[in-house]
Amino acid sequence: MEKVEEKEKVEEKVEKKEKVVETAKNKVALSHILRPIYFIIFAILLEMVNFLWLKFTVTGNSEALQVLPKYFFLDIGVYLLIAGTMFMVSRKWANALLYIFLGFQLAINMINATLFKVFGDIFSFDMMLLGHEAAQAFKFEFIDFFSILVNLAILGCIITLQVLLDRKLKVEFEMKKFNKQSLLLVVFFSCYLAGFGSFGIQTANFYDTDTSVRISESDQYLWDNLHFKLEAYKKFGTYGFYFKSISNLIYKNDHFDDNKKNDLLFDLADGEQEKDVSAKLYGDNLIVIMLESFEWFAIDPFNTPTLWDLRTNLGVSMENYYSKNKTNVSEDICLLGHMPKDVSMSRLAKDGSLATPYTLPNLFKGLGYQTNFFHSYKKTFYDRDIINKAMGFDNVFGIEDADVENKSLHFNDWNLDSDVAAALIDEIIPETGKFFSFFTTVTTHGSYNRTNSRFEEYYQTYDSNLSAYKDWLATETSYIYPEDKTLEKCYRQYKCAAMDTDRMVRILLDNLEEKGLSDNTTLVMYADHNCYYEDIYFNIKGTSKADYYDIYNYNVPLMIYSPKLTPRKNTEFCNTYDLYPTICSLFGLPFN
């Protein structure tokens, strides 16, 4: 009898326990309901902080700050997908998702604040392809510490509130009609349906909200390519932009339907140009010099007399030339006439995709020219010796091939371009045969917050000219001489680097004269981008870095010198993509 009673008690306890477990299964904690909402609120807050930090303004109204992306439903779509997943998983996994995605936003905020501070740019996943080189270029002083403090403070709030959410809001609701799993599935699928719907509808219908006009030809292109990163970020937001950025790395979007293929083949056939022996510079030699981080204010009559003479008296000066590309991109656009969508140029070089007959070196080689490329550091930042050879250059020379004193292969410890040019002068300007030489400078590359023992002579010249130069700058130009002492030192360093560029050009001109080649050799000199290190460009120009629509920020030098061209100042708008067809036309090349 006692055994029966004992058995009944055990069964009763088991039954009660099962009821408790069953009841628990049908309960939903208030904190679990609030956590996805909490995530969405903080995700929106972080988006607003980032937009305010980058000082985005409403298009057409530079006085009004823009705090959320134009196509905010791209972000909302991703928020809902994450929130739906958080409803389905356990508390620990929900917390993990919350910290992962909000942590991603915090990291992006801090990285973008630093990149924008230094370069006027933001992070994209294709930058990871330059990870090692970017690390070499990075300096501790670039970091925007205030942004880090603000974002860490927000992280502290997120963690604190999340802990309080789990500890204080332990209220649970028992489900009466539907069990817990059914409810969570309904919420999950609702969030996913709304999320994918929001994302899909938004990407399929890019509209001008002011006029309700379909503007797929502009915003759709921007979405597909993200070529203008700040504008793309401003329109698509953090999750929209970075979803597309990483998907562009994974999926190249190279599909062409038959109509597009036929149009492309027609354009290619229609674009064929015959060799033009009547072209003004047909058969002449060509030296192209890409000027690293060069500005018009780098040129003045006191410190850079050769470049000043070329700009004002001897050459064709393109006063409205604009460029804002990475160094390698500016090189590639000039040499190829375009920039491949696949930015992995090493891969394209290895599979033969760059070896087309229409590259600039191949066009010149087809007419019997020697073609040589020069850069002080042919293995730094990217493999020029592999990539540029694949484009058609007979040789690629660097500091490794030059006989110079105190040779340095270290990033930021630049040898002088003038020394490299002098050491390789017979390769740049061969005495026999026609030639095309391309020289990318490096001395003017930042950072400028340092001194260079190789600049000692330039420092003395600059200091002796300073008084006259400052008077000239104030009376003859719109440029602003820096009052801040630190910026003044950086500007001095930059100007002295430009003096070395001037000396390098003088060495080339003198050697052409010595070899009797000055009458049939052309110099094309163009800048890759502005002088962004230490914020020199907008301080001297009196502009704002935040106003990235102001194209004056990207107005940089382009000059063409040939005794056969009438010297003049050209005020037509032009940019990097005009270099290739201009050279081809002037030299009568059979280009496409």
Side-chain angles (χ1 to χ4, degrees), residues 26 43 141 154 167 230 233 269 281 287 389 439 515 564:
N26 289 328
E141 65 211 46
I154 295 174
R167 289 184 179 179
L230 284 170
Y233 194 78
L281 302 179
I287 301 174
K389 264 202 169 185
F439 192 113
K515 293 176 178 175
K564 297 179 181 179

Side-chain angles (χ1 to χ4, degrees), residues 225-242:
N225 298 283
L226 305 181
H227 280 172
F228 307 98
K229 288 197 292 184
L230 284 170
E231 183 66 10
Y233 194 78
K234 179 179 172 182
K235 288 187 175 180
F236 307 133
T238 298
Y239 286 99
F241 178 87
Y242 287 107

Side-chain angles (χ1 to χ4, degrees), residues 448-484:
Y448 313 109
N449 191 16
R450 59 194 176 93
T451 57
N452 188 336
S453 59
R454 300 181 179 93
F455 284 6
E456 197 54 47
E457 180 184 346
Y458 300 139
Y459 291 144
Q460 294 177 19
T461 301
Y462 180 80
D463 292 342
S464 65
N465 289 333
L466 185 57
S467 179
Y469 169 67
K470 289 172 70 174
D471 288 342
W472 173 83
L473 201 69
T475 58
E476 302 295 329
T477 77
S478 60
Y479 300 130
I480 303 167
Y481 186 80
E483 296 181 1
D484 178 81

Side-chain angles (χ1 to χ4, degrees), residues 372-390:
N372 294 315
F373 182 91
F374 304 84
H375 188 279
S376 291
Y377 298 82
K378 66 182 180 182
K379 293 292 291 183
T380 296
F381 213 73
Y382 76 102
D383 296 325
R384 288 178 171 88
D385 55 336
I386 296 173
I387 294 170
N388 291 5
K389 264 202 169 185

Side-chain angles (χ1 to χ4, degrees), residues 80-121:
L80 290 171
L81 295 177
I82 297 168
T85 304
M86 291 172 70
F87 268 114
M88 283 297 296
V89 298
S90 66
R91 179 181 65 84
K92 289 182 179 179
W93 281 106
N95 283 342
L97 286 173
L98 182 139
Y99 290 130
I100 287 170
F101 284 99
L102 291 185
F104 165 75
Q105 276 190 266
L106 285 162
I108 287 296
N109 282 10
M110 291 185 283
I111 292 169
N112 283 345
T114 291
L115 284 175
F116 190 75
K117 171 186 174 184
V118 180
F119 306 112
D121 199 3

Side-chain angles (χ1 to χ4, degrees), residues 420-549:
V420 175
L424 297 173
I425 193 67
D426 290 329
E427 285 75 26
I428 300 171
I429 306 174
E431 291 197 54
T432 58
K434 295 183 289 187
F435 64 87
F436 163 48
S437 295
F438 193 109
F439 192 113
T440 295
T441 68
V442 72
T443 304
T444 44
H445 194 295
S447 166
Y448 313 109
N449 191 16
R450 59 194 176 93
T451 57
N452 188 336
S453 59
R454 300 181 179 93
F455 284 6
E456 197 54 47
E457 180 184 346
Y458 300 139
Y459 291 144
Q460 294 177 19
T461 301
Y462 180 80
D463 292 342
S464 65
N465 289 333
L466 185 57
S467 179
Y469 169 67
K470 289 172 70 174
D471 288 342
W472 173 83
L473 201 69
T475 58
E476 302 295 329
T477 77
S478 60
Y479 300 130
I480 303 167
Y481 186 80
E483 296 181 1
D484 178 81
K485 293 301 180 185
T486 300
L487 184 60
E488 183 182 30
K489 289 180 181 178
C490 293
Y491 186 60
R492 176 179 183 253
Q493 182 76 10
Y494 176 68
K495 289 287 291 183
C496 288
M499 291 165 69
D500 186 67
T501 304
D502 188 80
R503 176 175 288 179
M504 182 203 73
V505 174
R506 183 75 264 162
I507 288 171
L508 297 179
L509 292 173
D510 289 345
N511 192 262
L512 287 170
E513 192 72 35
E514 290 170 13
K515 293 176 178 175
L517 299 172
S518 57
D519 288 340
N520 65 336
T521 301
T522 298
L523 264 66
V524 173
M525 293 161 284
Y526 75 98
D528 52 358
H529 50 67
N530 57 21
C531 174
Y532 55 78
Y533 275 88
E534 278 77 46
D535 294 338
I536 287 179
Y537 74 91
F538 71 87
N539 278 295
I540 304 302
K541 290 180 174 179
T543 60
S544 168
K545 179 193 291 187
D547 188 5
Y548 57 87
Y549 285 107

